[in-house]
Amino acid sequence: MSPMQLDRRTPSPTPPDPPIPISLSQPEIRTSTSLPPLTQAGRPVRNYQLPKRYHPDPLPEPPRPAVQVDNAGAPSLRILPHIKLIVRDTFKTIRNSFGIWREYWHRPSYDPDAFVSAADLAQPHPSSHSVESPDLLPDHGYRNKSVSLLMNWQNDGDTTKSDSSINKLVKEVLLHPDFQLSDLKGFSARLENEIADKADTKSTLLTSFSEASVDIEVPSGDKNVPSAKFSVTGLHYRSLLSILRSAFADPLATKFHLSPYKMFHKSPTSGVEQRVYSEMYDSDAFIEEHDRVQRAALPPDDPDCKREKVVAAMMFWSDSTHLANFGTAKLWPIYMMMGNLSKYIRALPSSGACMHVAYIPHLADSFEDFASTFHCKWGTQKGDILTHC
């Protein structure tokens, strides 16, 4: 058989199927009515996925823009607000000889205790004076003539002069380095008091007070009768902001503690550490408030403010005070002291730490005239009603 005959008997080969495409994208979403794509052989086209090791690395991407998203996740056009990060510069001090140390949340810019001397912490106990021999003593057994004159003045019988008053006169007046006997020539107590009264009328302290009236509720004593208002005049007060400004401008402000701290003590025997409370500025309330103030917003008129933020602790106190040795004139003064000041300085009568805030007047006689006709039980409850009002 010739080669030509062999070719005519052999059927011609069918062309090969086209290559199956490989898709790296997501599979096509088809509806229930659409037919899947088929190859030329009539088989469904398969979607082949490359192994992960053949996937290309993701390209670098810039950070997302600072936009807010709503609850649905859609971007908003508003820029994220600025976030202020407050970093606490905490540190501990070394222990002193008593095993006490401090812990600060914020590093202080100024420590008033660094300038406290040992003499400020403890006053020496007064020692008994040496007594001279009996034959060298002056009359009445006093040590010298000066003491004799002073003690005779105390016991002259004109007015009552206690031992504490005499000691105060000697220590705070006669032994004061600025006291000069020559300055007392021509001295007259009445004249000096008149000079002081004239100076008080020109004092800036009086001009800093404002006067106002206060309406108080006076109960009727009958549940069916409502209370009535009574106007009390003569209330004198000062602005708290003006008092704070004068307090921080005073030389005593150098002793203010502006950075609170926690104080601890470690027992030398058991080694147990224990929290110590001594002042207002080492309390938790002061520390937490100071930390909150550090997060306060800057003033809008000074956005670049670099001034230190501190807490001014105000302590108020009041009590009834008589205005004269004779008579019934009295009022209730309100005083303020700074809790930033140590109690050991604040309690000194000569420290000047007490500031006048207001003067509450005593109820006038016209109040009793009004209340006696208004309150149904005035005759039996007069004292309680006056105390309440």
Side-chain angles (χ1 to χ4, degrees):
M1 186 180 293
S2 61
M4 186 61 68
Q5 293 175 345
L6 181 61
D7 292 339
R8 285 196 298 265
R9 295 177 181 177
T10 304
S12 59
T14 59
D17 295 335
I20 299 175
I22 299 176
S23 175
L24 297 179
S25 60
Q26 296 293 332
E28 182 182 359
I29 300 177
R30 308 180 184 92
T31 62
S32 58
T33 57
S34 61
L35 296 177
L38 302 176
T39 62
Q40 292 183 356
R43 295 189 296 270
V45 178
R46 297 181 179 180
N47 294 327
Y48 292 92
Q49 298 290 339
L50 285 176
K52 289 186 178 181
R53 62 178 178 272
Y54 295 117
H55 287 188
D57 294 332
L59 297 177
E61 181 183 18
R64 298 295 180 90
V67 295
Q68 253 180 328
V69 294
D70 54 17
N71 296 330
S76 174
L77 297 178
R78 292 188 303 169
I79 302 297
L80 287 174
H82 293 285
I83 299 178
K84 184 187 297 183
L85 179 62
I86 302 295
V87 180
R88 294 176 180 171
D89 189 9
T90 59
F91 74 102
K92 299 180 181 180
T93 62
I94 59 176
R95 292 198 299 265
N96 61 6
S97 58
F98 297 97
I100 298 177
W101 73 94
R102 301 175 180 177
E103 289 187 3
Y104 289 85
W105 280 8
H106 302 273
R107 185 177 296 270
S109 60
Y110 171 75
D111 183 13
D113 290 342
F115 305 97
V116 176
S117 62
D120 297 330
L121 299 177
Q123 297 293 334
H125 186 73
S127 58
S128 58
H129 298 285
S130 59
V131 180
E132 300 177 0
S133 58
D135 42 335
L136 297 178
L137 288 176
D139 295 338
H140 306 293
Y142 298 122
R143 294 186 295 113
N144 49 53
K145 190 63 176 178
S146 299
V147 175
S148 177
L149 292 173
L150 184 63
M151 299 306 295
N152 289 333
W153 174 76
Q154 179 190 13
N155 302 320
D156 59 5
D158 290 343
T159 57
T160 302
K161 297 179 282 291
S162 62
D163 292 344
S164 60
S165 299
I166 299 300
N167 294 334
K168 185 177 181 180
L169 173 65
V170 173
K171 295 178 180 179
E172 298 184 8
V173 179
L174 301 180
L175 297 181
H176 196 279
D178 296 335
F179 181 78
Q180 300 292 333
L181 286 176
S182 58
D183 296 339
L184 297 181
K185 291 182 179 180
F187 173 78
S188 171
R190 180 188 60 81
L191 180 60
E192 296 299 331
N193 284 329
E194 292 178 357
I195 296 175
D197 292 340
K198 293 179 180 180
D200 288 340
T201 58
K202 301 178 181 179
S203 174
T204 56
L205 179 63
L206 296 179
T207 58
S208 62
F209 278 86
S210 301
E211 185 175 359
S213 60
V214 178
D215 294 335
I216 63 174
E217 297 283 343
V218 182
S220 63
D222 188 350
K223 63 179 181 180
N224 297 321
V225 179
S227 61
K229 290 185 178 181
F230 183 85
S231 181
V232 181
T233 60
L235 172 67
H236 291 78
Y237 67 95
R238 296 172 64 192
S239 169
L240 293 181
L241 184 58
S242 64
I243 299 175
L244 288 178
R245 286 175 175 171
S246 61
F248 277 87
D250 192 88
L252 194 62
T254 58
K255 301 182 182 297
F256 286 174
H257 287 260
L258 305 179
S259 298
Y261 54 82
K262 291 183 179 180
M263 194 158 52
F264 296 89
H265 171 261
K266 185 175 183 180
S267 174
T269 56
S270 62
V272 177
E273 296 182 0
Q274 188 177 9
R275 177 82 178 271
V276 179
Y277 297 91
S278 177
E279 302 281 359
M280 178 178 288
Y281 44 80
D282 60 32
S283 63
D284 289 335
F286 199 114
I287 296 173
E288 293 172 1
E289 187 66 17
H290 180 83
D291 188 60
R292 188 187 67 84
V293 167
Q294 306 312 308
R295 293 168 170 78
L298 295 175
D301 56 344
D302 191 5
D304 298 327
C305 176
K306 302 297 182 181
R307 289 184 291 271
E308 186 177 5
K309 301 176 182 178
V310 299
V311 172
M314 296 178 288
M315 306 172 62
F316 297 94
W317 172 83
S318 179
D319 196 6
S320 177
T321 300
H322 285 275
L323 301 180
N325 293 332
F326 303 97
T328 59
K330 61 180 179 180
L331 50 75
W332 281 264
I334 299 179
Y335 303 106
M336 189 188 82
M337 296 184 181
M338 298 298 297
N340 306 72
L341 194 63
S342 173
K343 60 185 178 184
Y344 298 106
I345 301 176
R346 194 171 61 241
L348 292 176
S350 58
S351 64
C354 188
M355 293 165 283
H356 296 254
V357 177
Y359 295 101
I360 302 177
H362 182 66
L363 289 175
D365 295 337
S366 59
F367 172 79
E368 296 192 22
D369 298 336
F370 166 78
S372 61
T373 58
F374 177 72
H375 200 282
C376 63
K377 300 179 182 179
W378 175 260
T380 58
Q381 299 180 2
K382 175 181 178 180
D384 295 336
I385 298 171
L386 287 175
T387 301
H388 171 74
C389 294

